[in-house]
Amino acid sequence: MTIEGGRFRPHVMLVRTGQTLLIDNHDPVSHNATIPFRKNRLSSRVIPADREQRCEVRAQERLAVSVECHIHPWMNAFVLVRDSPYMATTDAEGRFRIENLPVGEHTFVVWHERAGYLSDAPFDEGARVAERGRLTVTIAAGENDLGAALLAPKRFK
């Protein structure tokens, strides 16, 4: 994760258990990166200008965890820590891709920072997000496309 221009980038970071989360401050001022993990050790460190901090993540977190700067309260981001490599964030158009999924049935969780779990989100190819954001799909060999899920903008306010 990078701090640049008074922002954490990327806004949502995906990390696997056993990896080290690197927070690199490219700004000319100090920042604080507080990550209130539930299963991992709480991280709350001041990161001087042009310095970095490392945070070991050893356990999977059930939900995405907020990252905040207590010096600059407008700064926020999220970190999701999982045991599995099968996770994704969407791009600017809301698209995502998960490479190399094994063939078979898989259940994913669909979540948004403002709307929370995206229940009852219908995809135009027939998949539907169920209670608590659960999306169960059967992955076939080759390319799999869920199609689009069109959601009302009011869900994200």
Side-chain angles (χ1 to χ4, degrees), residues 7-96:
R7 296 176 67 181
F8 291 109
R9 295 182 187 181
H11 185 65
V12 178
M13 179 127 198
L14 306 174
V15 181
R16 285 192 61 193
T17 54
Q19 291 183 322
T20 299
L21 173 59
L22 174 68
I23 303 171
D24 196 6
N25 183 4
H26 291 274
D27 279 350
V29 298
S30 294
H31 290 284
N32 167 262
T34 298
I35 310 172
F37 288 121
R38 291 182 182 263
K39 302 247 176 142
N40 292 285
R41 189 172 168 201
L42 168 69
S43 175
S44 183
R45 303 172 181 160
V46 172
I47 307 170
D50 296 316
R51 301 291 295 272
E52 64 185 37
Q53 289 288 335
R54 295 173 185 273
C55 179
E56 301 293 324
V57 288
R58 296 194 170 108
Q60 176 170 281
E61 297 284 339
R62 192 172 72 80
L63 299 172
V65 180
S66 64
V67 181
E68 298 173 351
C69 177
H70 292 195
I71 300 169
H72 307 98
W74 64 85
M75 293 175 59
N76 74 332
F78 293 89
V79 174
L80 179 63
V81 180
R82 305 306 270 169
D83 290 332
S84 168
Y86 305 118
M87 54 186 159
T89 58
T90 58
D91 65 15
E93 281 77 45
R95 297 178 302 221
F96 68 94

Coordinates of all heavy atoms in Angstrom, one line a residue, residues 7-96:
R7 N -3.4 10.2 0.3 CA -4.3 9.1 0.1 C -3.6 7.8 0.2 O -2.4 7.6 -0.1 CB -4.9 9.2 -1.3 CG -5.7 10.4 -1.6 CD -6.2 10.5 -3.0 NE -7.1 9.4 -3.3 CZ -7.7 9.2 -4.4 NH1 -7.4 10.0 -5.5 NH2 -8.6 8.2 -4.6
F8 N -4.4 6.8 0.7 CA -3.9 5.4 0.6 C -4.2 4.8 -0.7 O -5.3 5.0 -1.2 CB -4.6 4.5 1.7 CG -4.2 4.9 3.1 CD1 -5.1 5.5 3.9 CD2 -3.0 4.6 3.6 CE1 -4.8 5.8 5.3 CE2 -2.6 4.9 4.9 CZ -3.6 5.5 5.8
R9 N -3.3 4.2 -1.4 CA -3.5 3.5 -2.7 C -2.9 2.1 -2.7 O -1.8 2.0 -2.2 CB -2.9 4.4 -3.8 CG -3.5 5.7 -3.9 CD -3.0 6.5 -5.0 NE -3.6 7.8 -4.9 CZ -3.3 8.8 -5.7 NH1 -2.5 8.6 -6.7 NH2 -3.9 9.9 -5.6
P10 N -3.6 1.2 -3.1 CA -5.0 1.2 -3.6 C -6.0 1.4 -2.5 O -5.6 1.3 -1.3 CB -5.2 -0.2 -4.2 CG -4.3 -1.1 -3.5 CD -3.1 -0.2 -3.1
H11 N -7.2 1.8 -2.8 CA -8.2 2.0 -1.8 C -8.6 0.7 -1.1 O -8.9 0.7 0.1 CB -9.4 2.7 -2.4 CG -10.5 3.1 -1.4 ND1 -10.2 4.0 -0.4 CD2 -11.7 2.6 -1.2 CE1 -11.3 4.1 0.3 NE2 -12.2 3.3 -0.1
V12 N -8.6 -0.4 -1.8 CA -8.8 -1.7 -1.2 C -7.6 -2.6 -1.6 O -7.3 -2.8 -2.8 CB -10.1 -2.4 -1.8 CG1 -10.3 -3.8 -1.2 CG2 -11.3 -1.5 -1.5
M13 N -7.0 -3.2 -0.6 CA -5.8 -4.0 -0.8 C -6.1 -5.4 -0.4 O -6.7 -5.7 0.7 CB -4.6 -3.5 0.0 CG -3.4 -4.3 -0.1 SD -2.1 -3.2 -0.5 CE -0.9 -4.3 -1.1
L14 N -5.7 -6.4 -1.2 CA -5.9 -7.8 -1.0 C -4.6 -8.4 -0.5 O -3.6 -8.3 -1.2 CB -6.4 -8.5 -2.2 CG -7.7 -7.9 -2.8 CD1 -8.0 -8.6 -4.1 CD2 -8.9 -7.9 -1.9
V15 N -4.6 -9.1 0.6 CA -3.4 -9.7 1.1 C -3.6 -11.1 1.5 O -4.7 -11.4 2.1 CB -2.9 -8.9 2.4 CG1 -1.6 -9.5 2.9 CG2 -2.7 -7.4 2.0
R16 N -2.7 -12.0 1.3 CA -2.8 -13.4 1.7 C -2.1 -13.6 3.0 O -1.2 -12.9 3.3 CB -2.2 -14.3 0.7 CG -3.1 -14.5 -0.6 CD -2.7 -15.6 -1.5 NE -2.8 -16.9 -0.8 CZ -2.2 -17.9 -1.4 NH1 -1.6 -17.9 -2.5 NH2 -2.3 -19.1 -0.8
T17 N -2.7 -14.5 3.8 CA -2.0 -14.8 5.1 C -0.6 -15.3 4.8 O -0.3 -15.9 3.8 CB -2.8 -15.9 5.9 OG1 -2.9 -17.1 5.0 CG2 -4.1 -15.4 6.3
G18 N 0.3 -14.8 5.7 CA 1.7 -15.2 5.6 C 2.5 -14.1 4.8 O 3.7 -14.1 4.8
Q19 N 1.8 -13.2 4.2 CA 2.4 -12.1 3.5 C 2.7 -10.9 4.4 O 2.1 -10.8 5.5 CB 1.6 -11.6 2.3 CG 1.5 -12.5 1.2 CD 0.7 -12.0 0.0 OE1 -0.2 -11.3 0.1 NE2 1.2 -12.3 -1.2
T20 N 3.6 -10.0 4.0 CA 3.9 -8.8 4.7 C 3.2 -7.7 4.0 O 3.4 -7.5 2.8 CB 5.4 -8.6 4.8 OG1 6.0 -9.7 5.5 CG2 5.7 -7.3 5.6
L21 N 2.4 -6.9 4.8 CA 1.8 -5.7 4.2 C 2.8 -4.6 4.4 O 3.2 -4.2 5.5 CB 0.5 -5.4 5.0 CG -0.2 -4.1 4.7 CD1 -0.6 -4.0 3.2 CD2 -1.4 -3.9 5.5
L22 N 3.2 -4.0 3.3 CA 4.1 -2.9 3.2 C 3.3 -1.6 3.0 O 2.5 -1.5 2.1 CB 5.1 -3.1 2.1 CG 6.1 -1.9 1.9 CD1 7.1 -1.8 3.0 CD2 6.9 -2.2 0.6
I23 N 3.5 -0.6 3.9 CA 2.9 0.7 3.8 C 4.0 1.7 3.5 O 4.8 1.9 4.4 CB 2.1 1.1 5.0 CG1 1.0 0.0 5.3 CG2 1.4 2.4 4.8 CD1 0.3 0.1 6.6
D24 N 4.1 2.2 2.3 CA 5.2 3.1 1.9 C 4.7 4.5 1.7 O 3.8 4.8 0.9 CB 5.6 2.5 0.5 CG 7.0 3.0 0.1 OD1 7.6 3.7 0.9 OD2 7.4 2.7 -1.1
N25 N 5.3 5.4 2.5 CA 4.9 6.8 2.6 C 5.7 7.6 1.6 O 6.9 7.9 1.8 CB 5.0 7.4 4.0 CG 4.5 8.8 4.1 OD1 4.0 9.4 3.1 ND2 4.7 9.4 5.2
H26 N 5.1 8.1 0.5 CA 5.8 8.9 -0.5 C 5.5 10.4 -0.3 O 6.0 11.2 -1.1 CB 5.3 8.5 -1.9 CG 5.8 7.2 -2.4 ND1 7.0 7.0 -2.9 CD2 5.2 5.9 -2.3 CE1 7.2 5.7 -3.2 NE2 6.1 5.0 -2.8
D27 N 4.8 10.7 0.7 CA 4.5 12.1 1.0 C 5.6 12.8 1.7 O 6.4 12.1 2.4 CB 3.2 12.3 1.8 CG 1.9 12.2 0.9 OD1 2.1 12.2 -0.3 OD2 0.8 12.1 1.5
P28 N 5.7 14.1 1.7 CA 6.7 14.9 2.4 C 6.4 15.1 3.9 O 7.1 15.8 4.6 CB 6.8 16.2 1.7 CG 5.4 16.4 1.1 CD 4.9 15.0 0.8
V29 N 5.3 14.5 4.4 CA 4.9 14.6 5.8 C 4.6 13.3 6.4 O 4.4 12.3 5.6 CB 3.6 15.5 5.9 CG1 3.8 16.9 5.4 CG2 2.4 14.9 5.2
S30 N 4.6 13.2 7.7 CA 4.3 11.9 8.4 C 2.8 11.6 8.3 O 2.0 12.5 8.2 CB 4.7 12.0 9.8 OG 6.1 12.1 9.9
H31 N 2.5 10.3 8.3 CA 1.1 9.8 8.4 C 1.1 8.7 9.4 O 2.1 8.2 9.8 CB 0.7 9.3 7.0 CG 0.5 10.3 6.0 ND1 -0.6 11.1 5.9 CD2 1.3 10.6 4.9 CE1 -0.5 11.9 4.9 NE2 0.7 11.6 4.2
N32 N -0.2 8.4 9.8 CA -0.4 7.3 10.7 C -1.3 6.3 10.0 O -2.2 6.7 9.4 CB -1.1 7.8 12.0 CG -1.7 6.7 12.8 OD1 -2.9 6.4 12.7 ND2 -0.9 6.1 13.6
A33 N -0.9 5.0 10.1 CA -1.7 4.0 9.4 C -2.2 3.1 10.6 O -1.4 2.3 11.1 CB -0.9 3.2 8.4
T34 N -3.4 3.3 10.9 CA -4.0 2.4 12.0 C -4.9 1.4 11.3 O -5.8 1.7 10.5 CB -4.9 3.3 12.9 OG1 -4.0 4.2 13.6 CG2 -5.6 2.4 14.0
I35 N -4.6 0.1 11.6 CA -5.4 -1.0 11.0 C -5.8 -1.9 12.2 O -5.1 -2.6 12.8 CB -4.5 -1.9 10.1 CG1 -3.8 -1.0 9.0 CG2 -5.4 -2.9 9.4 CD1 -2.8 -1.7 8.2
P36 N -7.1 -1.7 12.6 CA -7.6 -2.5 13.8 C -8.0 -3.9 13.5 O -9.2 -4.3 13.5 CB -8.8 -1.7 14.2 CG -9.3 -1.1 13.0 CD -8.1 -0.8 12.1
F37 N -7.0 -4.7 13.2 CA -7.3 -6.1 12.9 C -7.9 -6.8 14.1 O -7.7 -6.4 15.2 CB -5.9 -6.9 12.6 CG -5.3 -6.6 11.3 CD1 -4.0 -6.0 11.3 CD2 -5.9 -6.8 10.1 CE1 -3.4 -5.8 10.1 CE2 -5.3 -6.5 8.9 CZ -4.0 -6.0 8.9
R38 N -8.7 -7.8 13.8 CA -9.4 -8.6 14.8 C -8.5 -9.9 15.2 O -8.4 -10.3 16.3 CB -10.8 -9.0 14.5 CG -11.7 -7.9 14.4 CD -13.1 -8.3 14.1 NE -14.0 -7.2 14.0 CZ -14.8 -6.8 15.0 NH1 -14.8 -7.5 16.1 NH2 -15.6 -5.8 14.8
K39 N -8.0 -10.5 14.1 CA -7.2 -11.7 14.3 C -5.7 -11.5 14.3 O -4.9 -12.3 14.8 CB -7.6 -12.7 13.3 CG -9.1 -13.0 13.2 CD -9.3 -14.5 13.6 CE -10.8 -14.7 13.7 NZ -11.2 -16.0 13.3
N40 N -5.3 -10.5 13.6 CA -3.9 -10.2 13.5 C -3.5 -9.1 14.5 O -4.4 -8.5 15.1 CB -3.5 -9.7 12.1 CG -3.6 -10.8 11.1 OD1 -2.8 -11.7 11.0 ND2 -4.7 -10.8 10.3
R41 N -2.3 -8.8 14.7 CA -1.8 -7.8 15.7 C -2.3 -6.4 15.2 O -2.0 -6.1 14.0 CB -0.3 -7.9 15.8 CG 0.2 -7.1 16.9 CD 1.7 -7.4 17.1 NE 2.2 -6.4 17.9 CZ 3.5 -6.1 18.0 NH1 4.4 -6.8 17.3 NH2 4.0 -5.2 18.8
L42 N -2.8 -5.6 16.1 CA -3.2 -4.2 15.8 C -2.0 -3.5 15.2 O -0.9 -3.6 15.8 CB -3.7 -3.5 17.0 CG -3.9 -2.0 16.9 CD1 -5.1 -1.7 16.0 CD2 -4.1 -1.4 18.3
S43 N -2.2 -2.8 14.2 CA -1.2 -2.0 13.6 C -1.6 -0.5 13.7 O -2.6 -0.1 13.2 CB -0.9 -2.3 12.1 OG 0.0 -1.5 11.5
S44 N -0.8 0.3 14.4 CA -1.0 1.7 14.5 C 0.3 2.4 14.6 O 0.9 2.5 15.7 CB -1.9 2.0 15.7 OG -2.2 3.4 15.7
R45 N 0.8 2.8 13.5 CA 2.2 3.4 13.5 C 2.3 4.7 12.8 O 1.6 4.9 11.8 CB 3.1 2.4 12.8 CG 3.1 1.0 13.4 CD 3.8 0.0 12.6 NE 3.8 -1.3 13.2 CZ 4.0 -2.4 12.6 NH1 4.3 -2.4 11.3 NH2 3.9 -3.5 13.3
V46 N 3.1 5.6 13.3 CA 3.5 6.8 12.5 C 4.5 6.4 11.5 O 5.5 5.8 11.8 CB 4.0 7.9 13.5 CG1 4.5 9.1 12.7 CG2 2.8 8.3 14.4
I47 N 4.3 6.8 10.3 CA 5.2 6.6 9.2 C 5.8 7.9 8.7 O 5.1 8.7 8.1 CB 4.5 5.8 8.0 CG1 3.8 4.6 8.5 CG2 5.5 5.5 7.0 CD1 2.9 3.9 7.5
P48 N 7.1 8.2 9.1 CA 7.7 9.4 8.7 C 7.7 9.6 7.2 O 7.6 8.6 6.4 CB 9.1 9.3 9.2 CG 9.0 8.3 10.3 CD 8.0 7.3 9.8
A49 N 7.9 10.8 6.7 CA 8.0 11.1 5.3 C 9.0 10.3 4.6 O 10.1 10.0 5.2 CB 8.3 12.6 5.1
D50 N 8.7 9.8 3.4 CA 9.6 8.9 2.6 C 10.1 7.7 3.4 O 11.3 7.3 3.1 CB 10.7 9.8 2.1 CG 10.2 10.9 1.1 OD1 9.3 10.6 0.3 OD2 10.7 12.0 1.2
R51 N 9.3 7.1 4.2 CA 9.7 5.9 4.9 C 8.6 4.9 4.7 O 7.6 5.1 4.2 CB 9.9 6.2 6.4 CG 10.9 7.2 6.8 CD 12.4 6.8 6.5 NE 12.8 5.7 7.3 CZ 13.4 5.9 8.5 NH1 13.5 7.0 9.1 NH2 13.8 4.8 9.2
E52 N 8.9 3.7 5.2 CA 7.9 2.6 5.1 C 7.8 1.8 6.4 O 8.6 1.9 7.3 CB 8.3 1.6 4.0 CG 9.6 0.9 4.3 CD 10.1 0.0 3.1 OE1 9.9 0.4 1.9 OE2 10.6 -1.0 3.4
Q53 N 6.6 1.2 6.6 CA 6.4 0.3 7.7 C 5.9 -1.1 7.1 O 5.3 -1.1 6.1 CB 5.3 0.8 8.6 CG 5.7 2.0 9.4 CD 6.7 1.7 10.5 OE1 6.8 0.6 11.0 NE2 7.5 2.6 10.9
R54 N 6.2 -2.1 7.9 CA 5.8 -3.5 7.5 C 4.9 -4.0 8.6 O 5.1 -3.8 9.8 CB 7.0 -4.4 7.3 CG 7.9 -3.9 6.1 CD 9.2 -4.7 6.1 NE 10.0 -4.2 5.0 CZ 10.0 -4.6 3.8 NH1 9.1 -5.6 3.4 NH2 10.8 -4.1 2.9
C55 N 3.9 -4.8 8.1 CA 3.0 -5.4 9.1 C 2.8 -6.8 8.6 O 2.3 -7.1 7.5 CB 1.7 -4.6 9.0 SG 0.4 -5.3 10.1
E56 N 3.1 -7.8 9.5 CA 2.9 -9.2 9.2 C 1.5 -9.6 9.4 O 0.8 -9.2 10.4 CB 3.8 -10.0 10.2 CG 5.2 -9.8 10.1 CD 5.9 -10.2 8.8 OE1 5.5 -11.2 8.3 OE2 6.8 -9.5 8.4
V57 N 0.9 -10.3 8.5 CA -0.5 -10.8 8.6 C -0.4 -12.4 8.6 O 0.1 -13.0 7.7 CB -1.4 -10.3 7.5 CG1 -1.7 -8.8 7.7 CG2 -0.8 -10.5 6.1
R58 N -0.9 -12.9 9.7 CA -0.7 -14.4 9.9 C -2.1 -15.1 9.9 O -2.1 -16.3 9.7 CB 0.0 -14.7 11.2 CG 1.4 -14.1 11.1 CD 2.3 -14.7 12.2 NE 3.6 -14.4 12.0 CZ 4.3 -13.5 12.7 NH1 3.7 -12.8 13.7 NH2 5.6 -13.2 12.4
A59 N -3.2 -14.4 10.1 CA -4.5 -15.0 10.2 C -5.5 -14.3 9.2 O -5.4 -13.1 9.0 CB -5.0 -14.9 11.6
Q60 N -6.4 -15.1 8.7 CA -7.4 -14.6 7.8 C -8.4 -13.8 8.6 O -8.7 -14.1 9.8 CB -8.2 -15.8 7.2 CG -9.3 -15.4 6.4 CD -9.9 -16.6 5.6 OE1 -9.3 -17.0 4.6 NE2 -11.0 -17.2 6.1
E61 N -8.8 -12.6 8.1 CA -9.8 -11.8 8.7 C -11.1 -12.1 8.0 O -11.2 -12.2 6.8 CB -9.4 -10.3 8.5 CG -8.1 -9.9 9.1 CD -8.2 -9.7 10.6 OE1 -9.3 -9.5 11.2 OE2 -7.2 -9.8 11.3
R62 N -12.2 -12.1 8.8 CA -13.5 -12.4 8.3 C -14.0 -11.3 7.3 O -14.7 -11.6 6.3 CB -14.5 -12.6 9.4 CG -15.8 -13.2 9.0 CD -16.7 -13.5 10.2 NE -17.2 -12.4 10.9 CZ -18.3 -11.7 10.5 NH1 -19.0 -12.1 9.4 NH2 -18.7 -10.7 11.2
L63 N -13.7 -10.1 7.6 CA -14.2 -8.9 6.8 C -13.0 -8.0 6.5 O -11.9 -8.1 7.0 CB -15.2 -8.1 7.7 CG -16.5 -8.7 8.1 CD1 -17.2 -7.8 9.1 CD2 -17.3 -9.1 6.9
A64 N -13.3 -7.2 5.5 CA -12.3 -6.2 5.2 C -12.1 -5.2 6.4 O -13.1 -4.9 7.1 CB -12.7 -5.3 4.0
V65 N -10.9 -4.8 6.7 CA -10.5 -4.0 7.9 C -10.2 -2.6 7.4 O -9.4 -2.5 6.4 CB -9.4 -4.7 8.6 CG1 -9.0 -3.8 9.9 CG2 -9.7 -6.1 9.0
S66 N -10.7 -1.6 8.0 CA -10.4 -0.2 7.6 C -8.9 0.1 8.0 O -8.4 -0.3 8.9 CB -11.3 0.7 8.3 OG -11.1 0.7 9.7
V67 N -8.4 1.0 7.1 CA -7.1 1.6 7.4 C -7.3 3.1 7.5 O -8.0 3.7 6.6 CB -6.1 1.3 6.2 CG1 -4.7 2.0 6.5 CG2 -6.0 -0.1 5.9
E68 N -6.9 3.7 8.6 CA -7.1 5.1 8.8 C -5.9 5.9 9.2 O -5.0 5.3 9.8 CB -8.2 5.3 9.8 CG -9.5 4.7 9.5 CD -10.6 4.8 10.6 OE1 -10.2 5.1 11.7 OE2 -11.7 4.4 10.3
C69 N -5.8 7.1 8.8 CA -4.7 8.0 9.3 C -5.3 8.9 10.4 O -6.2 9.7 10.0 CB -4.1 8.8 8.2 SG -2.8 10.0 8.7
H70 N -4.9 8.8 11.6 CA -5.4 9.7 12.7 C -4.9 11.1 12.7 O -5.4 11.9 13.4 CB -5.2 9.0 14.0 CG -6.1 7.7 14.2 ND1 -6.3 7.1 15.3 CD2 -6.8 7.0 13.2 CE1 -7.1 6.1 15.2 NE2 -7.3 6.0 13.9
I71 N -3.8 11.3 11.8 CA -3.3 12.7 11.7 C -4.1 13.4 10.6 O -4.4 14.6 10.7 CB -1.8 12.6 11.3 CG1 -1.0 11.9 12.3 CG2 -1.3 14.0 11.0 CD1 0.4 11.6 11.9
H72 N -4.5 12.7 9.6 CA -5.3 13.2 8.5 C -6.6 12.4 8.3 O -6.6 11.4 7.6 CB -4.5 13.2 7.2 CG -3.1 13.8 7.3 ND1 -2.0 13.1 7.6 CD2 -2.8 15.1 7.3 CE1 -1.0 13.9 7.7 NE2 -1.4 15.2 7.6
P73 N -7.7 12.8 9.0 CA -8.9 12.0 9.1 C -9.6 11.7 7.8 O -10.5 10.8 7.7 CB -9.7 12.7 10.1 CG -9.2 14.1 10.1 CD -7.8 14.1 9.7
W74 N -9.3 12.4 6.7 CA -9.9 12.1 5.4 C -9.3 10.9 4.7 O -9.9 10.3 3.8 CB -9.8 13.3 4.5 CG -8.4 13.6 4.1 CD1 -7.7 13.1 3.1 CD2 -7.5 14.6 4.7 NE1 -6.4 13.6 3.0 CE2 -6.3 14.5 4.1 CE3 -7.7 15.4 5.8 CZ2 -5.2 15.3 4.4 CZ3 -6.6 16.2 6.2 CH2 -5.4 16.2 5.5
M75 N -8.2 10.4 5.2 CA -7.6 9.3 4.6 C -8.1 8.0 5.1 O -8.2 7.7 6.3 CB -6.0 9.3 4.9 CG -5.3 10.5 4.2 SD -3.6 10.5 4.7 CE -3.0 9.0 4.2
N76 N -8.6 7.1 4.2 CA -9.0 5.8 4.6 C -8.9 4.8 3.4 O -8.8 5.2 2.3 CB -10.5 5.8 5.1 CG -11.5 6.0 4.0 OD1 -11.2 6.6 2.9 ND2 -12.7 5.5 4.2
A77 N -8.8 3.5 3.8 CA -8.7 2.5 2.8 C -9.2 1.2 3.5 O -9.6 1.2 4.7 CB -7.3 2.3 2.3
F78 N -9.1 0.1 2.8 CA -9.4 -1.2 3.4 C -8.4 -2.3 3.0 O -7.8 -2.3 2.0 CB -10.8 -1.7 2.9 CG -11.9 -0.8 3.4 CD1 -12.3 0.3 2.6 CD2 -12.6 -1.1 4.6 CE1 -13.3 1.2 3.1 CE2 -13.6 -0.2 5.0 CZ -14.0 0.9 4.3
V79 N -8.2 -3.2 4.0 CA -7.3 -4.4 3.7 C -8.2 -5.6 4.0 O -8.8 -5.8 5.0 CB -6.1 -4.4 4.7 CG1 -5.3 -5.7 4.5 CG2 -5.3 -3.2 4.4
L80 N -8.1 -6.6 3.0 CA -8.8 -7.9 3.2 C -7.7 -8.9 3.2 O -6.9 -9.0 2.3 CB -9.8 -8.1 2.0 CG -10.5 -9.5 2.1 CD1 -11.4 -9.6 3.3 CD2 -11.3 -9.7 0.8
V81 N -7.7 -9.7 4.3 CA -6.7 -10.7 4.5 C -7.4 -12.1 4.4 O -8.3 -12.4 5.1 CB -6.0 -10.6 5.9 CG1 -5.0 -11.8 6.0 CG2 -5.4 -9.3 6.0
R82 N -7.0 -12.9 3.4 CA -7.6 -14.2 3.2 C -6.5 -15.3 3.1 O -5.4 -15.0 2.7 CB -8.4 -14.2 1.9 CG -9.5 -13.2 1.8 CD -10.4 -13.2 2.9 NE -11.6 -14.0 2.7 CZ -12.4 -14.3 3.7 NH1 -12.2 -13.9 4.9 NH2 -13.4 -15.1 3.4
D83 N -6.9 -16.5 3.4 CA -6.0 -17.7 3.2 C -5.9 -18.1 1.7 O -4.9 -18.6 1.3 CB -6.5 -18.9 3.9 CG -6.4 -18.8 5.4 OD1 -5.5 -18.0 5.9 OD2 -7.2 -19.3 6.2
S84 N -6.9 -17.8 0.9 CA -7.0 -18.2 -0.5 C -6.6 -17.1 -1.4 O -6.8 -15.9 -1.1 CB -8.5 -18.5 -0.7 OG -8.7 -18.7 -2.1
P85 N -6.0 -17.5 -2.6 CA -5.7 -16.5 -3.6 C -6.9 -16.1 -4.4 O -6.8 -15.2 -5.2 CB -4.6 -17.2 -4.5 CG -5.1 -18.6 -4.4 CD -5.6 -18.8 -3.0
Y86 N -8.0 -16.7 -4.2 CA -9.2 -16.4 -5.1 C -10.0 -15.3 -4.5 O -11.1 -15.5 -3.9 CB -10.0 -17.7 -5.2 CG -9.1 -18.8 -5.8 CD1 -9.0 -20.0 -5.0 CD2 -8.5 -18.7 -7.0 CE1 -8.2 -21.0 -5.5 CE2 -7.7 -19.8 -7.5 CZ -7.5 -20.9 -6.7 OH -6.7 -21.9 -7.2
M87 N -9.6 -14.1 -4.8 CA -10.3 -12.9 -4.4 C -10.0 -11.8 -5.4 O -9.0 -11.9 -6.2 CB -9.9 -12.4 -3.0 CG -8.4 -12.3 -2.8 SD -8.0 -11.9 -1.1 CE -6.2 -12.4 -1.1
A88 N -10.8 -10.8 -5.5 CA -10.6 -9.7 -6.5 C -11.3 -8.4 -6.0 O -12.2 -8.5 -5.2 CB -11.2 -10.1 -7.8
T89 N -10.8 -7.3 -6.5 CA -11.5 -6.0 -6.4 C -11.9 -5.6 -7.8 O -11.4 -6.1 -8.8 CB -10.6 -5.0 -5.8 OG1 -9.4 -4.8 -6.6 CG2 -10.1 -5.3 -4.4
T90 N -12.9 -4.8 -7.8 CA -13.4 -4.4 -9.1 C -12.6 -3.2 -9.7 O -11.9 -2.5 -8.9 CB -14.9 -3.9 -9.1 OG1 -15.0 -2.9 -8.1 CG2 -15.8 -5.1 -8.7
D91 N -12.6 -3.0 -11.0 CA -11.9 -1.9 -11.6 C -12.9 -0.7 -11.6 O -14.0 -0.8 -11.0 CB -11.4 -2.2 -13.0 CG -12.5 -2.6 -14.0 OD1 -13.7 -2.2 -13.8 OD2 -12.1 -3.1 -15.1
A92 N -12.5 0.4 -12.3 CA -13.3 1.6 -12.3 C -14.7 1.4 -12.9 O -15.6 2.1 -12.6 CB -12.6 2.7 -13.1
E93 N -14.9 0.4 -13.8 CA -16.2 0.0 -14.4 C -16.9 -1.0 -13.6 O -17.9 -1.5 -14.1 CB -16.0 -0.4 -15.8 CG -15.8 0.8 -16.8 CD -14.3 1.3 -16.7 OE1 -13.4 0.5 -16.7 OE2 -14.2 2.5 -16.7
G94 N -16.4 -1.5 -12.5 CA -17.0 -2.5 -11.7 C -16.7 -3.9 -12.2 O -17.4 -4.9 -11.7
R95 N -15.8 -4.1 -13.0 CA -15.4 -5.5 -13.5 C -14.4 -6.1 -12.6 O -13.6 -5.4 -12.0 CB -14.9 -5.4 -15.0 CG -15.9 -4.9 -16.0 CD -15.3 -4.8 -17.3 NE -14.2 -3.9 -17.2 CZ -13.9 -3.0 -18.1 NH1 -14.6 -2.8 -19.2 NH2 -12.8 -2.2 -18.0
F96 N -14.4 -7.4 -12.6 CA -13.3 -8.1 -11.9 C -13.0 -9.4 -12.6 O -13.8 -9.9 -13.4 CB -13.8 -8.4 -10.4 CG -14.9 -9.4 -10.3 CD1 -14.6 -10.8 -10.1 CD2 -16.2 -9.0 -10.3 CE1 -15.6 -11.7 -9.9 CE2 -17.2 -9.9 -10.2 CZ -16.9 -11.3 -10.0

